[in-house]
Amino acid sequence: MLKKVLKWSSISLLTIVIALALLPFLFKDKIKSKIIESINKNVNATVALEDVSLNLFKSFPKATVTLDKMSVINKAPFQGDTLVYSEKIDLKMSMMELLNGEKEPMTIQSIGTENTKINILFNKDGIGNYDIAIKKDANEINEKEKPFALSIQNYEVENLKFTYKDEASKMRMILDSINHEGTGNFEKEVLDLDTKTTAKVTFDMDKSNFMRNVPISLEAILGVDLKNSKYTFKENKALINQLPLNFNGSIQMAEKGQVYDLTFNTPSSDFKNFLGLIPSAYAGNLADVETSGKFEVKGKVKGNLSDTTVPTFDIEMLSNNASFKYKELPKSVKNISIDTHIVNETGLMNDTFVDLDKLTFAIDQDVFNSSAHIKNLTENPNIDAALNGVINLANVSKAYPVKLEKPLNGILRADVKTAFDMKSVENSQYQNIKNSGNINVTGFNYSGPEMAKPVSVSVADLSFNPSKINLNKLQAKTGKSDINVSGSLDNFYGFLFKNQILKGNFNLNSSLFEVADFMSPTTTTNEKGKKTSEQVKIPSFLDCTLTAKATTVIYDNLNLKNVAGTLIIRDQAVNLKGLNMAVFGGKIGVNGMVSTKNKVPTFDLDLGLSAVDISQTLTMLNTLKAIAPIADVINGKMNSTITLNGFLTQDMIPDVKSISGDLMGTILQGSLNKNKSALLTELDTKATFLDLNDINLKDVKAVLSFKNGKVAVKPFTLKHKDISVQIAGSHGFDQNMDYNLKFDVPVKYLGNDVNKLLAKVTPSDAKKIESVPVNAMMSGNFKSPKVTTDVQQASKNVASQLIQLQKEKLVQKGTGALSDLLGGNKPKSATDSTKTTTKEQVGNAVKEGLKGLFGKKKN
């Protein structure tokens, strides 16, 4: 009998399991159609749902319906904006709900979401993107036709990001990493809802940040009155950072907004509560802090929150004669007094004011005092503040656990008062700004990732007046460099509070300025954890003019002397004007632009070289060496004007492959050192008529243009003694070349054979072929050149011409002797006849003449 029971029990259990496994497939489409129906009937938006699944085992005996990747996309006037996106939504219900008829609603008992984003936006006209519900009359609403009904017992939200943005008020609030759960019987109209919430808060208003990823938490039992939409705080415990707060009172939903009637306070008055306000990343271990004195936070909020009003509120933060000391640190902060009020008495946001009547503290004998008052908070904030006191910066890290790579040093002295309103700052109406006092820093040392090398400031002295902040003196060193700066800032407050461009004019003097001391590429870490260096960027927030003088500037491998000029820094670029320097035994003037605005930095410069040493210039400047690689074998000086543009490398050095421009050069004096060049050595071998060691290059002029890695040399003529040559052609930055040289060579340089023939003609005939063209072709590359000439052919041509001249002369002489003979003229004597011709020559001439006269038959 037992066996039968077990057998049928097993079969029944197996049947149930199979049925439970098959049911999702049977009811999936039914559930999906109800969800789509419910959404479409109620919202005016584009809704997408990737998939719907049903699981009967996950929360047995309840069924779990999972909606995958659901999104709600707004229509006009927020066309294309995402209102809601949820990676996963779980709906839990009784399995019996699956058997309901088509017209019967399914009752949901629990809701859970994962990785959800909600974006609430208000445009400049005050219209919100959340209002997507289709408006219905009361007569249209029929409970029986609802696809779903709610009987919520609990709900859970995991990793929700809520963004609120109002374009009109320029306000943005983000609640990130929200994890929230609540338990209560929503079938009752009045219930207790047990909740737990954690999140991170960021709050900005008009480009000013008030909170950034501040952690908050709340454990609360809320009394919920569903009929009146009222939520009352009962037992609760809240933390803002590590500041504990208790709440009393209620929040009620109204037709337009919410009604607040709340009070709150710190449950204890220990000064540790103040340290709890500081983000935990900077506050250190509060468990090991010894404190004395009190710190209290209390406040009340009462009234309506609507589109036009806020509740009135009064928040106080008070402390008197408090102190704290971290056990692991040698110094304490004493005599701390805080008296702060944040108040709104009218319900209008602009009437909110902040009074920091007192904030004082002391470390050792150094005392620092400050106060500030802010009113007209939203329309035109008015700020009145004062700072007075001394801080030994080295003591900051000895009294408070500041995380620094290297400790600060130096003494800060301040005595400053300021009063201004934001509209005057925006409009540069300096007559409405009241500044006075000065700030002085001495012995300040700093090092950080944004600096290439540690900076040591011996003195920095600033004074404040209504229109400007004057930098009276800044003396600093970094690496090998020293700088002395003075000048003024025109709109410091616009830069500080309104993200405006920082404008100023400065004078800089330096005895030694090494550019590498200030060049530090930004290091970033990519998604795979690999560190990469980004291109050096000229700050986009600067618009200033710098008049500079430096005895020595070291840039790359160059030592520049007596550098002076003007640098205009604007729009992520430096405009160089009248920059002059002594280098390479002469001077160089620079005008132009260097820009880091685009992804790859660019430059566009005009250079003027005056009496510079040619070999040094071409050896030290890789850019020019690529343009004129042969020039480094020239000993001498030159003047040159160069225009060039292109890209810069990560080290802010011209990328040779990218440059283009023109070069015009004149050699003031110069000679060749052929032993430095394989090309000249090869040319010297092939062009034997040249003596390269004896060439004078004075006043030689050349014009080059370069682009896309090619250099074109316009034809120019070089003369050496009685030889001239026209040079033209091109070469690449890869050192491959294609040049033609056209020589005009006197025939006397073509060798002994030609000279022997030349000696046999008369001087007047020799003048007919004084010189001959010789062509030379240079190819290959500068390190392995190939030189060919037609000098042998030219020699042959000259020899042929000389022989031809001799023949013509002999014929002329022979014909004249025959004419004399036939005409009855006799030579005066044998001696005389030998002066003009030999017997053999006369005989040959006679023979040739007789052949011409008698060699033909008569007609």
Side-chain angles (χ1 to χ4, degrees):
M1 184 69 180
L2 181 59
K3 288 184 178 181
K4 288 184 177 181
V5 171
L6 291 173
K7 177 180 178 181
W8 286 105
S9 297
S10 300
I11 293 172
S12 300
L13 180 60
L14 180 60
T15 303
I16 291 171
V17 170
I18 293 172
L20 291 174
L22 291 174
L23 277 174
F25 297 98
L26 299 175
F27 291 100
K28 176 179 175 179
D29 291 338
K30 176 184 176 181
I31 296 169
K32 186 173 183 178
S33 65
K34 281 184 176 287
I35 292 171
I36 299 297
E37 178 187 356
S38 176
I39 293 172
N40 288 335
K41 280 186 175 182
N42 292 284
V43 301
N44 179 29
T46 302
V47 179
L49 183 61
E50 186 173 286
D51 195 15
V52 175
S53 59
L54 175 62
N55 191 315
L56 301 180
F57 295 100
K58 185 176 181 180
S59 302
F60 186 82
K62 294 181 180 179
T64 301
V65 178
T66 300
L67 315 182
D68 289 321
K69 297 180 181 178
M70 188 185 80
S71 62
V72 180
I73 309 298
N74 282 115
K75 295 182 180 180
F78 297 92
Q79 185 75 36
D81 288 338
T82 299
L83 176 61
V84 179
Y85 172 82
S86 184
E87 193 172 289
K88 183 161 77 168
I89 302 174
D90 285 337
L91 309 175
K92 295 178 182 178
M93 63 188 72
S94 169
M95 284 193 288
M96 298 305 294
E97 297 294 320
L98 302 175
L99 303 176
N100 289 352
E102 291 292 331
K103 300 297 183 180
E104 293 181 280
M106 289 181 176
T107 301
I108 298 173
Q109 298 175 353
S110 176
I111 298 176
T113 70
E114 293 182 22
N115 303 325
T116 300
K117 295 180 180 179
I118 300 175
N119 300 297
I120 303 298
L121 307 175
F122 282 88
N123 62 18
K124 293 180 179 179
D125 299 323
I127 300 172
N129 71 331
Y130 65 93
D131 190 10
I132 62 171
I134 296 175
K135 305 297 185 292
K136 295 182 179 181
D137 295 333
N139 296 331
E140 294 181 273
I141 301 173
N142 188 342
E143 292 290 334
K144 293 182 179 180
E145 293 183 0
K146 287 186 176 181
F148 291 96
L150 298 179
S151 180
I152 302 295
Q153 303 297 316
N154 58 74
Y155 61 91
E156 185 175 357
V157 174
E158 183 180 334
N159 193 28
L160 170 69
K161 182 176 182 179
F162 175 85
T163 301
Y164 174 89
K165 186 176 181 181
D166 188 342
E167 292 183 357
S169 63
K170 299 180 181 179
M171 184 171 69
R172 185 187 69 149
M173 182 177 70
I174 297 175
L175 294 172
D176 201 0
S177 305
I178 301 173
N179 292 293
H180 172 79
E181 60 181 68
T183 303
N185 188 356
F186 282 87
E187 288 185 336
K188 296 181 179 180
E189 285 193 345
V190 178
L191 67 142
D192 284 347
L193 180 63
D194 193 351
T195 66
K196 292 182 180 179
T197 307
T198 61
K200 293 180 180 179
V201 182
T202 296
F203 182 73
D204 300 322
M205 179 176 283
D206 196 18
K207 298 182 181 179
S208 296
N209 176 254
F210 296 93
M211 303 174 77
R212 185 171 300 280
N213 290 326
V214 175
I216 62 171
S217 65
L218 174 66
E219 294 183 16
I221 295 176
L222 301 175
V224 180
D225 183 347
L226 292 175
K227 183 177 180 180
N228 296 305
S229 299
K230 188 174 182 179
Y231 304 87
T232 303
F233 282 93
K234 293 186 176 182
E235 297 178 23
N236 64 87
K237 178 183 177 182
L239 285 174
I240 301 176
N241 274 333
Q242 298 182 55
L243 174 71
L245 288 175
N246 285 339
F247 289 88
N248 292 290
S250 63
I251 302 172
Q252 185 172 8
M253 301 298 109
E255 184 177 350
K256 294 183 178 179
Q258 302 93 42
V259 180
Y260 289 80
D261 188 1
L262 292 175
T263 61
F264 57 88
N265 65 287
T266 51
S268 67
S269 59
D270 196 304
F271 189 76
K272 233 176 238 189
N273 292 336
F274 172 76
L275 299 178
L277 278 173
I278 301 170
S280 57
Y282 305 103
N285 184 8
L286 296 184
D288 293 333
V289 180
E290 298 174 352
T291 63
S292 66
K294 296 181 179 181
F295 176 76
E296 296 179 280
V297 176
K298 58 183 179 179
K300 59 183 178 180
V301 181
K302 189 178 179 85
N304 296 336
L305 176 62
S306 67
D307 293 341
T308 56
T309 63
V310 295
T312 61
F313 53 84
D314 187 348
I315 303 170
E316 291 182 281
M317 290 182 282
L318 301 170
S319 181
N320 186 37
N321 197 27
S323 68
F324 68 85
K325 183 181 183 303
Y326 285 81
K327 288 184 178 180
E328 70 272 17
L329 297 177
K331 295 186 180 295
S332 61
V333 180
K334 299 177 293 185
N335 302 329
I336 303 170
S337 295
I338 302 170
D339 187 359
T340 302
H341 301 264
I342 305 172
V343 181
N344 185 294
E345 298 173 336
T346 66
L348 299 176
M349 190 63 184
N350 188 56
D351 292 339
T352 300
F353 61 88
V354 179
D355 283 338
L356 175 60
D357 293 323
K358 182 189 290 186
L359 172 59
T360 66
F361 63 88
I363 303 176
D364 288 345
Q365 73 277 9
D366 298 329
V367 179
F368 199 82
N369 302 279
S370 65
S371 63
H373 304 277
I374 306 172
K375 59 183 180 179
N376 292 334
L377 192 64
T378 58
E379 293 180 5
N380 181 26
N382 280 250
I383 300 170
D384 190 344
L387 300 173
N388 178 269
V390 179
I391 296 179
N392 184 337
L393 298 176
N395 287 338
V396 173
S397 58
K398 294 178 181 178
Y400 191 80
V402 181
K403 295 180 180 179
L404 299 172
E405 290 185 6
K406 291 186 178 180
L408 293 174
N409 292 284
I411 306 297
L412 170 67
R413 296 177 177 85
D415 185 6
V416 178
K417 292 182 180 180
T418 182
F420 58 92
D421 65 279
M422 284 300 180
K423 285 188 177 178
S424 295
V425 169
E426 290 177 357
N427 299 321
S428 300
Q429 295 173 329
Y430 298 119
Q431 68 274 13
N432 299 330
I433 300 175
K434 298 178 181 179
N435 293 327
S436 63
N438 68 325
I439 293 177
N440 182 276
V441 178
T442 57
F444 176 74
N445 297 311
Y446 178 75
S447 62
E450 69 277 11
M451 301 300 296
K453 296 179 180 177
V455 178
S456 174
V457 178
S458 59
V459 60
D461 187 76
L462 295 94
S463 60
F464 295 76
N465 60 50
S467 62
K468 295 180 180 180
I469 295 178
N470 291 320
L471 178 60
N472 301 318
K473 181 188 290 186
L474 172 63
Q475 292 180 346
K477 287 187 176 182
T478 178
K480 299 176 182 177
S481 303
D482 63 88
I483 58 172
N484 291 272
V485 184
S486 62
S488 62
L489 295 170
D490 292 339
N491 66 327
F492 179 72
Y493 292 117
F495 165 72
L496 191 63
F497 297 110
K498 290 294 183 180
N499 289 335
Q500 292 179 353
I501 302 298
L502 184 61
K503 298 180 179 180
N505 292 278
F506 300 94
N507 295 310
L508 181 148
N509 290 279
S510 174
S511 59
L512 175 61
F513 191 97
E514 186 165 354
V515 176
D517 291 339
F518 299 86
M519 304 295 284
S520 177
T522 304
T523 301
T524 59
T525 304
N526 60 22
E527 296 178 354
K528 296 181 179 179
K530 184 178 180 181
K531 291 186 176 182
T532 58
S533 294
E534 294 182 351
Q535 184 64 55
V536 174
K537 287 286 187 182
I538 297 168
S540 59
F541 58 81
L542 287 179
D543 181 359
C544 60
T545 299
L546 183 67
T547 302
K549 289 183 179 179
T551 305
T552 301
V553 173
I554 300 174
Y555 175 61
D556 195 22
N557 59 347
L558 302 178
N559 280 3
L560 313 175
K561 298 292 185 181
N562 301 322
V563 179
T566 301
L567 290 76
I568 301 172
I569 304 170
R570 181 183 297 135
D571 196 24
Q572 298 186 58
V574 177
N575 189 359
L576 308 173
K577 287 193 172 182
L579 187 63
N580 293 290
M581 62 203 74
V583 64
F584 308 136
K587 293 183 178 180
I588 294 180
V590 183
N591 289 280
M593 181 82 71
V594 175
S595 174
T596 62
K597 187 172 185 179
N598 297 321
K599 186 176 181 180
V600 179
T602 60
F603 69 97
D604 189 349
L605 300 176
D606 293 336
L607 307 179
L609 283 64
S610 177
V612 296
D613 183 273
I614 301 171
S615 182
Q616 285 186 50
T617 304
L618 273 298
T619 301
M620 301 295 286
L621 296 180
N622 290 330
T623 302
L624 295 185
K625 190 172 183 179
I627 296 170
I630 194 65
D632 64 349
V633 303
I634 300 175
N635 300 318
K637 291 183 174 290
M638 71 172 179
N639 291 340
S640 181
T641 59
I642 307 170
T643 62
L644 69 162
N645 59 77
F647 298 129
L648 293 169
T649 66
Q650 198 172 58
D651 298 323
M652 300 299 282
I653 295 171
D655 181 356
V656 174
K657 295 178 182 179
S658 72
I659 62 173
S660 60
D662 300 287
L663 181 152
M664 298 176 64
T666 301
I667 298 175
L668 303 178
Q669 60 186 43
S671 60
L672 292 173
N673 185 351
K674 70 175 184 179
N675 296 326
K676 283 187 176 182
S677 169
L679 175 62
L680 294 183
T681 301
E682 181 70 10
L683 180 63
D684 191 52
T685 302
K686 296 295 176 68
T688 55
F689 49 82
L690 282 177
D691 183 3
L692 295 179
N693 291 325
D694 195 32
I695 290 181
N696 186 356
L697 300 176
K698 184 178 180 181
D699 297 331
V700 172
K701 297 181 180 180
V703 177
L704 295 75
S705 61
F706 40 95
K707 187 176 182 180
N708 298 327
K710 285 282 188 181
V711 179
V713 178
K714 294 183 179 179
F716 69 96
T717 300
L718 173 66
K719 290 188 175 181
H720 170 57
K721 296 181 179 180
D722 49 356
I723 300 175
S724 66
V725 56
Q726 186 186 74
I727 303 171
S730 64
H731 67 269
F733 292 166
D734 59 4
Q735 304 295 288
N736 289 325
M737 60 180 168
D738 182 12
Y739 278 95
N740 294 316
L741 281 64
K742 295 181 180 180
F743 293 92
D744 187 17
V745 182
V747 294
K748 63 184 178 181
Y749 295 126
L750 296 181
N752 292 331
D753 292 339
V754 173
N755 281 320
K756 287 178 181 179
L757 292 172
L758 192 64
K760 295 179 181 180
V761 299
T762 63
S764 61
D765 286 337
K767 287 183 179 180
K768 294 179 181 180
I769 47 174
E770 282 186 315
S771 62
V772 64
V774 175
N775 296 307
M777 284 69 70
M778 297 189 299
S779 58
N781 60 63
F782 287 96
K783 290 185 178 180
S784 180
K786 182 180 180 182
V787 178
T788 60
T789 69
D790 61 358
V791 65
Q792 290 184 351
Q793 185 60 47
S795 298
K796 289 180 181 179
N797 293 340
V798 171
S800 297
Q801 292 181 56
L802 290 173
I803 291 171
Q804 185 63 34
L805 282 174
Q806 289 183 57
K807 286 182 180 180
E808 290 175 358
K809 194 68 174 176
L810 290 174
V811 170
Q812 290 174 5
K813 290 182 177 181
T815 305
L818 180 60
S819 298
D820 289 342
L821 179 62
L822 295 175
N825 297 324
K826 295 181 179 179
K828 295 179 180 179
S829 66
T831 303
D832 293 334
S833 66
T834 57
K835 291 181 182 178
T836 58
T837 183
T838 63
K839 291 181 180 181
E840 182 179 1
Q841 289 173 327
V842 174
N844 290 335
V846 172
K847 289 179 181 178
E848 293 297 325
L850 292 174
K851 287 181 181 178
L853 292 174
F854 307 108
K856 294 182 181 180
K857 295 181 179 179
K858 296 182 180 179
N859 290 331

